[in-house]
C-alpha cells in the first residue's frame, strides 16, 4: 500500500515538478543578474499584478472619472470638467439642511450615514462588550454560545438582509407572532424610524460576532492574577470593571471602535436589501447614493458617483490611519 | 494576631483529588514555608487559605474564626503573587492605594500608610511610575508594599522571588527576613527553592502529592528527616542513599564497609554529602572511584561511584587535588548517618 501511496503522491506532484523544472533555469539566470532584490520582485509580481488590476488601476480610473462629466460610460466619451463634480457635491447654502444643497440626495445620504454611524457604532461597542464579558465567564455551553454569536458574521450580507426582510415585512414573521399574541401588526419597514432602527439593529446583529471576538481576545489577555489581587483587596465587581477591565481593554476597544466606524461608513448591502433606502430617503446611505448615481438611476452620472466615492474614500483613509495608529500603540504596550 | 489552622482540608478538581486531608497549625507571627516539588499542592493550599479557592472538605480557621466559606476579602489576608499582579495602567501610588480605597479609608490615612510603606521598602521615589517602568526587584517591593499597606492578619506569598535573577533573589530574601522580623506578622510562604525555605522559615511544611510529609524547623528537617522523601528533598547536593540488607543489627556498605544498623532486612542508609570526608589511615572506609570533580573554590563537590555502581556525592572543604578516574576512600562520622526502613520511614539509631 505504501508503494501505491508513493506512486500516487509522485503522480500528483508530477505537474508541479515539471513546472518547477521549466521555470528553474530562467529564475536562476534572473537571480544571477539581479541578485536577491530581483528575486523578491519576481515573487511579489503576481500579487502586485492582482493589486494593480483590481485596486490601483480602478482607483486611478475612478479619480479620472471624477474629473469628467456627461453620461457616457467610456472615459474617452466623457468631457474633462476638472473639479466641477466636487464643487457640485460640496455646494450648499446650509449644510444642516440638505434641501439647500445642489446635490441634496448626497447630503441626505451623508446625514443618514452620520446618524447611522453614531447610533450603530455606539450600539455595536456596547453590545459586543456585554456579549464578550458574558462569554468570558465560566458559563455552561460557553463554546456553543461563542459559535452562535459568531455565526451571523459568516453569512452573506444579502442573505442577512433577506432574512430580516422576511421577518420584518408586512406579512413577515414578527407581525405573525404579534398577531398570535393579540397585538396590532406594524408596517416596520415603511416607517422612517423603525426602518432606520432596523438597519442599525440588523447590521449590529450581523457583525457583532467579529467585534465580540476581538474584545473576548482582549479580555482573555488580562492576567487572572489581577482579578485575584482585586478580590483579595475586597474590590466590588463594578469597581473591578471600571478600574481594571475597562482600562486594560482600552486598546482593543479603540480598535473595535475604529473598525466599526469604518464599516459603518461603508454600510450598503444588508441595508439596501432590507429597505432599499426607504421609506423615502430615510435609510439612503452614502454607498447606496454612489451606487445609484453611477449605475442604477435613470440619469447615470459616473463622474458624480466617482467624486462622491473619492470623498468617502478620504474619510475612510483618515479612519484607517487612526486604526493603524491605535493598533501599533496597542502592540507597543504589549511589547513593553 | 494571625493564627491559621487547617483541619482535614481536601481539594478536588473534578475527579482529581489534589489535596488529601491536610492538618496544620501556623502560629501567630510565624513564618511558615510550604515547600515541595512541582505539583505537590503547595500553591493550591495557599489559595485555599487565601479564599481564592474553596476546599472540598475540611475547615480553615483564622484567629479562631471559621473562614472556610468566607470570601477572600473577608479573611483579612494580603497576598503577594508570583507574577506580582500589579495593575499595569496604574502608578505605584495608585497600586498601593487601590485596596485601601475599597475600604473607604480616609485619604489622609491612605497617604500616611503609603508613605510609611514607601519608606520601609525604599520605593518612595517610584510612586509616580507605572509597573512597566520598574525593574523586577522594584516591582517585587511594590507588590509587598501593596500587601503591607493593608495591615493584614497574615501575609501569603506565592513564590514571590521566582521571577528574579539569582543575585536579586538573595538580596530580596534577606529583605523579606528583615521585614518579617520588623512586622512580626504571620507569613505563609510558598516556594520550591529549599534555600529560601531553609533561610526564611520558622517552620517548614514539606508537601508531596497533596500530603504533608513533615513539618519541622529548618534544622529539624535537615538533621532528622522523617522519611526518605524529606531526606532526599532537603539539603543540596542530595543525600547519598545506600540500599543494604541488615542481619543481626549489622549491614555492609558497597565495598565491604560494615556498620551497625537499627533494623532488620532491607534498610536504606543515608549520608549527606557534607558528612563524608577523605579517610586517613588504613581503617574501614567507603571505597569509590571519582567520576567528576567540581571545584567551587571554598569547597569541592566530588561525584563518584561505589563498587556496586551506587552514585556517591561528597562535598569536601578547600581545594583537594583530585581527578576523574582516581580511587578514593571516604569516611564518615556515625552521627552523620540516617537509617530508613523498607517503608521509607526513619529508623532511630
Amino acid at each position: 500500500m505504501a508503494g501505491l501511496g508513493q506512486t500516487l503522491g509522485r503522480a500528483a506532484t508530477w505537474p508541479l515538478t515539471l513546472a518547477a523544472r521549466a521555470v528553474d533555469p530562467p529564475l536562476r539566470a534572473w537571480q544571477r543578474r539581479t541578485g536577491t532584490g530581483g528575486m523578491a520582485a519576481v515573487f511579489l509580481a503576481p500579487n502586485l499584478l492582482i493589486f494593480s488590476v483590481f485596486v490601483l488601476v480602478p482607483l486611478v480610473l475612478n479619480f479620472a472619472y471624477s474629473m469628467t462629466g456627461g453620461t457616457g460610460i467610456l472615459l474617452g466619451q466623457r468631457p474633462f470638467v476638472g473639479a466641477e463634480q466636487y464643487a457640485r457635491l460640496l455646494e450648499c447654502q446650509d449644510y444642516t439642511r440638505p434641501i439647500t444643497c445642489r446635490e441634496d440626495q448626497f447630503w441626505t445620504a451623508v446625514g443618514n450615514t452620520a446618524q447611522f454611524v453614531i447610533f450603530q457604532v455606539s450600539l455595536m461597542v456596547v453590545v459586543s462588550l456585554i456579549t464578550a464579558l458574558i462569554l468570558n465567564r465560566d458559563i455552561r455551553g460557553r463554546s456553543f454560545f461563542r459559535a452562535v454569536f459568531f455565526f451571523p458574521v459568516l453569512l452573506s450580507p444579502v442573505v442577512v438582509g433577506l432574512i430580516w426582510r422576511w421577518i420584518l415585512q408586512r406579512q413577515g414573521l414578527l407581525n405573525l407572532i404579534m398577531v398570535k399574541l393579540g397585538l396590532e401588526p406594524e408596517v416596520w419597514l415603511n416607517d422612517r424610524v423603525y426602518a432606520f432602527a432596523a438597519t442599525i439593529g440588523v447590521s449590529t446583529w450581523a457583525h457583532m460576532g467579529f467585534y465580540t471576538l476581538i474584545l473576548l481576545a482582549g479580555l482573555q489577555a488580562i492576567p487572572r492574577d489581577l482579578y485575584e489581587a482585586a478580590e483579595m483587596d475586597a474590590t466590588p465587581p463594578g469597581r473591578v470593571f471600571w478600574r481594571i477591565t475597562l482600562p486594560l481593554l482600552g486598546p482593543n476597544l479603540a480598535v473595535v471602535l475604529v473598525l466599526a466606524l469604518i464599516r459603518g461608513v461603508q454600510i450598503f448591502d444588508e441595508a439596501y436589501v432590507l429597505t432599499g433606502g426607504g421609506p423615502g430617503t430615510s435609510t439612503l446611505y452614502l454607498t447606496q447614493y454612489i451606487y445609484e448615481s453611477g449605475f442604477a438611476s435613470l440619469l447615470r452620472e459616473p463622474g458624480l458617483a466617482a467624486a462622491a466615492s473619492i470623498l468617502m474614500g478620504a474619510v475612510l483613509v483618515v479612519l484607517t490611519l487612526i486604526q493603524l495608529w491605535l493598533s501599533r500603540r496597542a502592540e507597543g504596550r504589549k511589547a513593553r | 494576631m494571625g493564627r491559621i489552622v487547617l483541619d482535614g482540608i481536601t481539594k478536588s478538581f473534578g475527579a482529581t483529588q489534589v489535596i488529601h486531608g491536610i492538618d496544620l497549625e501556623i502560629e501567630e507571627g510565624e513564618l511558615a514555608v510550604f515547600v515541595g516539588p512541582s505539583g505537590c499542592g503547595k500553591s493550591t493550599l495557599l489559595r485555599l487559605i487565601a479564599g481564592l479557592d474553596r476546599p472540598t472538605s475540611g475547615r480553615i480557621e483564622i484567629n479562631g474564626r471559621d473562614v472556610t466559606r468566607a470570601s477572600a476579602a473577608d479573611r483579612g489576608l494580603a497576598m503577594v503573587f508570583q507574577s506580582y499582579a500589579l495593575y499595569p495602567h496604574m502608578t505605584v501610588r495608585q497600586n498601593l492605594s487601590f485596596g485601601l480605597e475599597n475600604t473607604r479609608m480616609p485619604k489622609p490615612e491612605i497617604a500616611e500608610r503609603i508613605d510609611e510603606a514607601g519608606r520601609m521598602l525604599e520605593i518612595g521615589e517610584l510612586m509616580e511610575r507605572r509597573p512597566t517602568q520598574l525593574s523586577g526587584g522594584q516591582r517585587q517591593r511594590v507588590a509587598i508594599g501593596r500587601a503591607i499597606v493593608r495591615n493584614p492578619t497574615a501575609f501569603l506569598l506565592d513564590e514571590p522571588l521566582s521571577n528574579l535573577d539569582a543575585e536579586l533573589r538573595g538580596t530580596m530574601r534577606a529583605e523579606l527576613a528583615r521585614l518579617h522580623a520588623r512586622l512580626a506578622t504571620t507569613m505563609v510562604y510558598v516556594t520550591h527553592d529549599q534555600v529560601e525555605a531553609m533561610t526564611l522559615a520558622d517552620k517548614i511544611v514539606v508537601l508531596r502529592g497533596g500530603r504533608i510529609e513533615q513539618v519541622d524547623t529548618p534544622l529539624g528537617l535537615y538533621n532528622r528527616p522523617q522519611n526518605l522523601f524529606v531526606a532526599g528533598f532537603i539539603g543540596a547536593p542530595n543525600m547519598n542513599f545506600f540500599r543494604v540488607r541488615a542481619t543481626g543489627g549489622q549491614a555492609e556498605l558497597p565495598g565491604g564497609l560494615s556498620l551497625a544498623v537499627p533494623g532488620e532486612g532491607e534498610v536504606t542508609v543515608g549520608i549527606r554529602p557534607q558528612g563524608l570526608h577523605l579517610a586517613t589511615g588504613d581503617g574501614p572506609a567507603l571505597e569509590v572511584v571519582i567520576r567528576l570533580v567540581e571545584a567551587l573554590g571554598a569547597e569541592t563537590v566530588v561525584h563518584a561511584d561505589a563498587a556496586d555502581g551506587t552514585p556517591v556525592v561528597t562535598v569536601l572543604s578547600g581545594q583537594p587535588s583530585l581527578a576523574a578516574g582516581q580511587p578514593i576512600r571516604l569516611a564518615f562520622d556515625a552521627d552523620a548517618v540516617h537509617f530508613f526502613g523498607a517503608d521509607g520511614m526513619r529508623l532511630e539509631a
Side-chain angles (χ1 to χ4, degrees):
Chain A
M1 282 303 285
L4 178 66
Q6 279 174 1
T7 309
L8 287 173
R10 268 200 293 273
T13 55
W14 176 76
L16 286 175
T17 312
L18 202 69
R21 279 186 191 155
V23 298
D24 193 48
L27 279 179
R28 281 175 187 278
W30 179 254
Q31 188 176 13
R32 269 196 299 275
R33 208 174 134 190
T34 60
T36 318
M39 288 307 287
V42 169
F43 289 120
L44 284 173
N47 262 346
L48 279 175
L49 188 71
I50 292 168
F51 176 77
S52 301
V53 170
F54 292 103
V55 179
L56 197 61
V57 173
L59 195 68
V60 173
L61 277 175
N62 195 44
F63 187 71
Y65 267 91
S66 75
M67 297 287 185
T68 60
T71 54
I73 293 295
L74 297 175
L75 200 55
Q77 302 166 342
R78 300 177 57 77
F80 179 77
V81 295
E84 192 190 306
Q85 304 286 19
Y86 294 95
R88 263 178 77 188
L89 287 172
L90 298 174
E91 191 182 324
C92 218
Q93 286 171 7
D94 178 358
Y95 286 102
T96 58
R97 293 172 57 223
I99 197 79
T100 64
C101 301
R102 189 167 163 197
E103 290 300 328
D104 60 330
Q105 292 249 321
F106 173 73
W107 286 101
T108 301
V110 168
N112 286 347
T113 308
Q115 283 183 51
F116 175 86
V117 165
I118 290 166
F119 287 109
Q120 196 258 2
V121 170
S122 311
L123 184 69
M124 180 72 89
V125 171
V126 171
V127 171
S128 305
L129 180 60
I130 291 171
T131 313
L133 286 168
I134 293 169
L135 292 180
N136 194 41
R137 297 179 75 95
D138 202 7
I139 53 169
R140 190 183 283 265
R142 186 165 64 167
S143 302
F144 170 75
F145 285 114
R146 284 181 185 177
V148 164
F149 280 103
F150 190 73
F151 182 69
V153 177
L154 304 175
L155 294 176
S156 149
V158 175
V159 172
V160 169
L162 281 174
I163 290 172
W164 282 97
R165 201 168 75 186
W166 290 333
I167 293 172
L168 297 171
Q169 66 192 4
R170 190 188 292 269
Q171 289 170 327
L173 183 67
L174 185 58
N175 276 343
L176 191 74
I177 293 169
M178 288 182 71
V179 169
K180 292 268 180 200
L181 293 173
L183 300 169
E184 278 293 310
E186 282 281 353
V187 196
W188 301 105
L189 299 177
N190 281 2
D191 180 282
R192 300 176 71 87
V193 176
Y194 286 146
F196 178 66
T199 57
I200 290 173
V202 169
S203 69
T204 305
W205 176 81
H207 302 295
M208 65 171 277
F210 175 67
Y211 301 110
T212 300
L213 214 61
I214 295 177
L215 294 177
L216 196 58
L219 285 172
Q220 286 175 350
I222 299 174
R224 208 178 119 198
D225 283 358
L226 297 185
Y227 291 111
E228 290 183 342
E231 196 179 338
M232 295 298 294
D233 281 343
T235 316
R239 197 159 190 253
V240 170
F241 175 74
W242 290 110
R243 295 292 307 274
I244 296 173
T245 306
L246 211 53
L248 292 176
L249 203 58
N252 295 66
L253 270 174
V255 169
V256 162
L257 187 72
V258 179
L259 283 178
L261 270 173
I262 292 171
R263 202 171 256 187
V265 172
Q266 292 173 312
I267 176 73
F268 175 58
D269 352 37
E270 57 256 37
Y272 186 65
V273 173
L274 186 67
T275 64
T281 55
S282 57
T283 58
L284 173 71
Y285 299 120
L286 203 48
T287 313
Q288 187 183 339
Y289 167 80
I290 293 167
Y291 166 68
E292 289 189 340
S293 306
F295 305 100
S297 65
L298 286 173
L299 185 70
R300 288 195 196 103
E301 293 203 73
L304 195 67
S309 69
I310 293 281
L311 290 177
M312 190 176 112
V315 173
L316 290 176
V317 164
V318 172
L319 291 175
T320 306
L321 288 175
I322 294 172
Q323 196 259 327
L324 281 173
W325 176 70
L326 287 170
S327 298
R328 282 185 190 151
R329 204 175 65 152
E331 274 169 25
R333 275 189 190 174
K334 273 180 198 163
R336 267 184 284 153
Chain B
M1 296 291 275
R3 186 168 187 270
I4 299 170
V5 178
L6 307 182
D7 181 12
I9 292 296
T10 68
K11 176 67 183 173
S12 299
F13 293 102
T16 312
Q17 188 168 357
V18 292
I19 300 288
H20 303 267
I22 298 278
D23 296 308
L24 181 68
E25 289 179 18
I26 299 166
E27 298 302 331
E28 190 185 324
E30 201 169 47
L31 198 163
V33 174
F34 293 171
V35 70
S38 293
C40 69
K42 52 191 187 295
S43 286
T44 306
L45 201 55
L46 193 78
R47 291 174 61 82
L48 292 174
I49 296 173
L52 295 172
D53 284 325
R54 295 277 177 277
T56 306
S57 66
R59 185 180 154 90
I60 300 172
E61 274 182 25
I62 296 174
N63 288 333
R65 185 167 76 95
D66 183 355
V67 295
T68 316
R69 299 289 147 195
S71 70
D74 289 339
R75 298 188 183 199
L77 306 171
M79 187 154 169
V80 177
F81 293 82
Q82 185 176 1
S83 64
Y84 316 133
L86 298 175
Y87 307 119
H89 55 294
M90 296 185 197
T91 62
V92 169
R93 185 181 299 283
Q94 289 167 332
N95 264 286
L96 296 184
S97 66
F98 188 74
L100 301 179
E101 287 163 7
N102 292 331
T103 63
R104 300 188 184 281
M105 184 181 280
K107 281 187 177 170
E109 196 180 337
I110 292 177
E112 196 179 312
R113 285 201 189 190
I114 291 174
D115 290 343
E116 194 186 332
R119 274 195 301 276
M120 196 185 293
L121 296 163
E122 297 170 12
I123 53 172
E125 305 288 305
L126 312 173
M127 287 296 172
E128 304 314 319
R129 291 200 201 166
R130 288 181 200 277
T132 49
Q133 298 167 310
L134 303 177
S135 68
Q138 288 169 333
R139 284 181 209 183
Q140 180 61 68
R141 283 165 202 264
V142 175
I144 294 169
R146 188 169 64 178
I148 287 175
V149 292
R150 292 190 53 217
N151 199 11
T153 310
F155 291 94
L156 310 177
L157 301 103
D158 188 6
E159 306 209 27
L161 308 184
S162 62
N163 288 339
L164 304 179
D165 61 54
E167 190 184 339
L168 199 53
R169 203 154 56 223
T171 313
M172 286 304 295
R173 203 165 59 215
E175 285 198 23
L176 274 173
R178 213 165 29 240
L179 198 68
H180 178 242
R182 182 170 169 180
L183 296 171
T185 309
T186 309
M187 286 187 178
V188 185
Y189 189 107
V190 164
T191 182
H192 62 268
D193 182 339
Q194 55 165 296
V195 178
E196 273 174 37
M198 295 294 283
T199 52
L200 284 172
D202 295 318
K203 175 195 277 178
I204 295 179
V205 181
V206 183
L207 290 153
R208 180 172 64 148
R211 291 186 174 83
I212 292 180
E213 292 287 326
Q214 188 173 347
V215 181
D216 210 332
T217 60
L219 288 181
L221 283 176
Y222 186 82
N223 294 329
R224 292 177 53 77
Q226 289 305 301
N227 57 42
L228 270 172
F229 173 76
V230 176
F233 190 76
I234 299 292
N238 292 350
M239 185 183 277
N240 295 298
F241 293 119
F242 305 93
R243 281 170 172 261
V244 296
R245 178 154 287 281
T247 41
Q250 288 289 314
E252 223 174 59
L253 289 180
L257 177 63
S258 179
L259 80 163
V261 173
E264 288 294 309
E266 200 175 289
V267 171
T268 301
V269 177
I271 309 172
R272 294 208 180 275
Q274 293 81 357
L276 290 166
H277 51 84
L278 290 172
T280 52
D282 296 334
L286 186 63
E287 293 180 359
V288 296
V289 177
I290 296 175
R291 189 173 3 103
L292 175 71
V293 178
E294 294 174 321
L296 304 179
E299 58 189 23
T300 302
V301 181
V302 177
H303 298 259
D305 294 309
D308 66 344
T310 307
V312 179
V313 180
T314 176
V315 179
L316 304 172
S317 62
Q319 301 170 4
S321 170
L322 298 169
Q326 181 183 341
I328 53 170
R329 302 174 74 246
L330 298 171
F332 51 86
D333 299 325
D335 57 2
V337 183
H338 305 263
F339 299 100
F340 303 93
D343 59 355
M345 298 308 289
R346 182 180 185 82
L347 298 171
E348 291 300 340

